[in-house]
Amino acid sequence: LYSSAASDVYKRQDHGRPEYMMFFLPRTLYRIVDEWDVVGLRGTASNSVIVQEAFVPFYRVFPLERIAATGQAPGHQLHSSPLYRVPFVPAICTALVAPIVGATRAAVEEFHKWVETRVPAFRTTPQKEMVSAQMLLAKSTLRVEILEREAERYAEEVMSCADHPVGEGERVRFFAWRALLVREAITIVDDLFH
Protein backbone atom coordinates (compact mmCIF):
# COMPACT_ATOMS: atom_id res chain seq x y z
CA LEU A 1 0.00 0.00 0.00
CA TYR A 2 1.38 3.37 -1.00
CA SER A 3 0.63 6.77 0.38
CA SER A 4 1.78 10.14 -0.83
CA ALA A 5 3.85 12.48 1.25
CA ALA A 6 4.67 16.01 0.19
CA SER A 7 8.14 16.98 1.22
CA ASP A 8 10.27 20.06 1.78
CA VAL A 9 13.17 18.25 0.11
CA TYR A 10 14.27 19.77 -3.17
CA LYS A 11 15.80 18.41 -6.33
CA ARG A 12 18.36 20.60 -8.00
CA GLN A 13 17.66 21.50 -11.60
CA ASP A 14 20.50 22.02 -14.07
CA HIS A 15 20.72 25.74 -13.30
CA GLY A 16 20.93 25.07 -9.55
CA ARG A 17 17.50 26.40 -8.58
CA PRO A 18 15.61 24.14 -6.15
CA GLU A 19 12.36 22.57 -7.33
CA TYR A 20 9.46 21.35 -5.20
CA MET A 21 8.75 17.66 -5.66
CA MET A 22 6.15 15.23 -4.36
CA PHE A 23 7.28 11.72 -3.47
CA PHE A 24 5.21 8.55 -3.40
CA LEU A 25 6.58 6.18 -0.80
CA PRO A 26 5.55 2.85 0.67
CA ARG A 27 4.03 3.47 4.10
CA THR A 28 6.89 1.51 5.69
CA LEU A 29 9.46 4.15 4.61
CA TYR A 30 8.06 7.06 6.61
CA ARG A 31 6.44 7.85 9.91
CA ILE A 32 3.94 10.50 10.87
CA VAL A 33 4.52 12.57 13.98
CA ASP A 34 1.11 13.41 15.42
CA GLU A 35 1.85 16.89 16.75
CA TRP A 36 -1.20 18.96 15.83
CA ASP A 37 -3.20 19.10 19.04
CA VAL A 38 -3.93 22.81 18.76
CA VAL A 39 -7.62 23.61 19.20
CA GLY A 40 -9.25 24.04 15.81
CA LEU A 41 -6.34 22.56 13.85
CA ARG A 42 -6.33 18.95 14.99
CA GLY A 43 -8.63 17.86 12.16
CA THR A 44 -6.30 19.28 9.50
CA ALA A 45 -3.88 16.34 9.86
CA SER A 46 -1.05 18.82 9.30
CA ASN A 47 1.44 16.58 11.05
CA SER A 48 5.11 16.15 10.26
CA VAL A 49 6.20 13.34 7.98
CA ILE A 50 9.64 11.88 8.77
CA VAL A 51 11.61 10.04 6.09
CA GLN A 52 15.10 8.84 6.98
CA GLU A 53 17.61 7.47 4.50
CA ALA A 54 15.05 6.35 1.94
CA PHE A 55 15.88 5.88 -1.72
CA VAL A 56 13.09 7.24 -3.91
CA PRO A 57 13.21 5.89 -7.47
CA PHE A 58 12.47 8.40 -10.22
CA TYR A 59 9.15 6.78 -11.14
CA ARG A 60 7.87 7.74 -7.66
CA VAL A 61 8.88 11.39 -7.97
CA PHE A 62 6.28 13.90 -9.09
CA PRO A 63 7.74 17.25 -10.25
CA LEU A 64 4.95 19.28 -8.66
CA GLU A 65 6.31 22.76 -9.34
CA ARG A 66 7.10 22.03 -12.99
CA ILE A 67 3.70 20.48 -13.62
CA ALA A 68 1.94 23.38 -11.90
CA ALA A 69 3.87 25.83 -14.08
CA THR A 70 3.66 24.03 -17.43
CA GLY A 71 0.58 21.83 -17.15
CA GLN A 72 2.63 18.97 -18.62
CA ALA A 73 2.73 15.80 -16.52
CA PRO A 74 4.62 12.57 -17.21
CA GLY A 75 1.30 10.72 -17.54
CA HIS A 76 0.47 12.69 -20.70
CA GLN A 77 2.75 10.43 -22.73
CA LEU A 78 1.13 7.26 -21.38
CA HIS A 79 -2.55 8.13 -21.10
CA SER A 80 -4.88 9.83 -23.55
CA SER A 81 -7.75 10.23 -21.06
CA PRO A 82 -8.80 13.85 -20.43
CA LEU A 83 -8.33 13.23 -16.71
CA TYR A 84 -4.55 13.11 -17.31
CA ARG A 85 -4.60 16.30 -19.35
CA VAL A 86 -6.39 18.71 -17.02
CA PRO A 87 -4.28 21.39 -15.33
CA PHE A 88 -2.92 19.81 -12.16
CA VAL A 89 -3.36 22.53 -9.53
CA PRO A 90 -6.92 23.56 -10.50
CA ALA A 91 -7.88 19.87 -10.73
CA ILE A 92 -6.35 18.80 -7.41
CA CYS A 93 -7.91 21.81 -5.71
CA THR A 94 -11.31 20.48 -6.74
CA ALA A 95 -10.69 17.81 -4.11
CA LEU A 96 -10.00 20.53 -1.56
CA VAL A 97 -13.09 22.61 -2.35
CA ALA A 98 -15.55 19.70 -2.39
CA PRO A 99 -15.31 18.90 1.35
CA ILE A 100 -15.74 22.58 2.20
CA VAL A 101 -18.90 22.73 0.11
CA GLY A 102 -20.12 19.46 1.68
CA ALA A 103 -19.42 20.75 5.18
CA THR A 104 -21.39 23.89 4.37
CA ARG A 105 -24.34 21.76 3.27
CA ALA A 106 -24.04 19.80 6.53
CA ALA A 107 -23.96 23.05 8.55
CA VAL A 108 -27.20 24.21 6.90
CA GLU A 109 -28.81 20.85 7.65
CA GLU A 110 -27.58 21.01 11.26
CA PHE A 111 -28.98 24.53 11.61
CA HIS A 112 -32.32 23.25 10.30
CA LYS A 113 -32.38 20.52 12.99
CA TRP A 114 -31.36 23.04 15.63
CA VAL A 115 -34.12 25.48 14.64
CA GLU A 116 -36.71 22.68 14.84
CA THR A 117 -36.06 22.06 18.54
CA ARG A 118 -34.76 25.36 19.94
CA VAL A 119 -36.66 27.93 21.96
CA PRO A 120 -34.51 31.06 22.36
CA ALA A 121 -33.82 32.33 25.86
CA PHE A 122 -36.49 34.61 27.29
CA ARG A 123 -38.96 33.62 24.54
CA THR A 124 -41.95 31.33 24.41
CA THR A 125 -42.11 30.99 20.64
CA PRO A 126 -40.08 28.09 19.18
CA GLN A 127 -37.41 29.28 16.78
CA LYS A 128 -38.94 27.27 13.92
CA GLU A 129 -41.99 29.57 14.07
CA MET A 130 -39.94 32.78 13.91
CA VAL A 131 -39.88 34.49 10.53
CA SER A 132 -36.24 35.50 11.01
CA ALA A 133 -35.17 31.85 11.44
CA GLN A 134 -37.31 30.73 8.50
CA MET A 135 -35.81 33.44 6.27
CA LEU A 136 -32.25 32.66 7.36
CA LEU A 137 -32.78 28.95 6.72
CA ALA A 138 -34.36 29.58 3.30
CA LYS A 139 -31.64 32.03 2.30
CA SER A 140 -28.85 29.72 3.50
CA THR A 141 -30.37 26.71 1.74
CA LEU A 142 -30.55 28.66 -1.51
CA ARG A 143 -27.00 29.97 -1.09
CA VAL A 144 -25.60 26.46 -0.50
CA GLU A 145 -27.46 25.17 -3.59
CA ILE A 146 -25.86 27.97 -5.64
CA LEU A 147 -22.48 27.16 -4.05
CA GLU A 148 -22.84 23.48 -5.02
CA ARG A 149 -23.77 24.36 -8.60
CA GLU A 150 -20.86 26.79 -8.84
CA ALA A 151 -18.44 24.15 -7.51
CA GLU A 152 -19.76 21.71 -10.14
CA ARG A 153 -19.33 24.36 -12.84
CA TYR A 154 -15.76 24.95 -11.63
CA ALA A 155 -14.98 21.22 -11.93
CA GLU A 156 -16.56 21.04 -15.39
CA GLU A 157 -14.57 24.04 -16.57
CA VAL A 158 -11.32 22.55 -15.24
CA MET A 159 -12.10 19.32 -17.12
CA SER A 160 -12.78 21.33 -20.29
CA CYS A 161 -9.16 22.53 -20.18
CA ALA A 162 -7.91 19.03 -20.99
CA ASP A 163 -7.73 19.88 -24.68
CA HIS A 164 -5.60 23.02 -24.44
CA PRO A 165 -2.73 24.43 -22.37
CA VAL A 166 -3.84 26.69 -19.53
CA GLY A 167 -2.30 30.13 -19.50
CA GLU A 168 -1.46 32.29 -16.52
CA GLY A 169 -4.70 34.24 -16.86
CA GLU A 170 -6.79 31.06 -16.61
CA ARG A 171 -4.75 29.83 -13.65
CA VAL A 172 -5.36 33.11 -11.81
CA ARG A 173 -9.06 32.92 -12.68
CA PHE A 174 -9.28 29.38 -11.28
CA PHE A 175 -7.49 30.51 -8.11
CA ALA A 176 -9.89 33.42 -7.66
CA TRP A 177 -12.86 31.15 -8.34
CA ARG A 178 -11.76 28.66 -5.65
CA ALA A 179 -11.17 31.48 -3.20
CA LEU A 180 -14.66 32.83 -3.91
CA LEU A 181 -16.22 29.39 -3.31
CA VAL A 182 -14.42 28.97 0.01
CA ARG A 183 -15.18 32.53 1.12
CA GLU A 184 -18.88 32.05 0.32
CA ALA A 185 -18.94 28.76 2.24
CA ILE A 186 -17.42 30.44 5.29
CA THR A 187 -19.86 33.33 5.04
CA ILE A 188 -22.87 30.99 4.85
CA VAL A 189 -21.79 29.17 8.01
CA ASP A 190 -20.90 32.42 9.81
CA ASP A 191 -24.33 33.88 8.98
CA LEU A 192 -26.04 30.80 10.43
CA PHE A 193 -24.18 30.59 13.72
CA HIS A 194 -23.02 34.12 14.54
Side-chain angles (χ1 to χ4, degrees):
L1 183 65
Y2 291 90
S3 181
S4 67
S7 176
D8 289 335
V9 178
Y10 302 98
K11 175 187 175 194
R12 289 282 192 192
Q13 292 179 325
D14 293 339
H15 50 75
R17 187 179 157 281
E19 180 181 3
Y20 287 98
M21 304 295 232
M22 184 180 286
F23 306 96
F24 295 90
L25 304 170
R27 181 62 181 96
T28 56
L29 290 182
Y30 65 90
R31 66 185 170 88
I32 298 172
V33 179
D34 187 5
E35 59 194 4
W36 275 85
D37 293 325
V38 179
V39 174
L41 295 176
R42 188 175 200 170
T44 66
S46 300
N47 297 311
S48 293
V49 177
I50 307 295
V51 180
Q52 292 179 319
E53 298 183 36
F55 172 74
V56 182
F58 184 71
Y59 67 89
R60 289 193 186 146
V61 176
F62 189 77
L64 183 61
E65 183 179 4
R66 193 176 331 148
I67 290 168
T70 66
Q72 297 298 309
H76 289 178
Q77 297 168 352
L78 302 172
H79 306 284
S80 60
S81 168
L83 185 58
Y84 290 93
R85 305 222 176 271
V86 294
F88 179 75
V89 172
I92 198 73
C93 287
T94 302
L96 302 174
V97 170
I100 294 168
V101 173
T104 306
R105 166 61 74 184
V108 171
E109 291 169 1
E110 195 60 34
F111 180 78
H112 186 204
K113 290 180 200 171
W114 187 55
V115 165
E116 288 294 312
T117 59
R118 183 170 183 266
V119 176
F122 312 112
R123 305 263 179 132
T124 56
T125 307
Q127 192 166 13
K128 68 181 178 182
E129 295 176 14
M130 297 177 159
V131 173
S132 60
Q134 294 170 3
M135 289 297 295
L136 181 57
L137 181 59
K139 180 180 173 184
S140 299
T141 301
L142 179 60
R143 287 171 69 195
V144 82
E145 287 171 5
I146 292 168
L147 182 68
E148 288 168 339
R149 283 196 301 266
E150 199 58 26
E152 288 172 12
R153 197 168 75 84
Y154 170 85
E156 289 168 1
E157 193 153 329
V158 168
M159 285 302 292
S160 75
C161 293
D163 60 356
H164 68 277
V166 175
E168 189 62 27
E170 275 184 294
R171 288 181 207 283
V172 170
R173 181 172 169 269
F174 282 133
F175 179 86
W177 196 346
R178 289 188 307 271
L180 183 71
L181 291 170
V182 171
R183 192 170 296 118
E184 177 62 7
I186 291 168
T187 303
I188 291 168
V189 174
D190 282 351
D191 288 350
L192 287 174
F193 297 104
H194 75 280

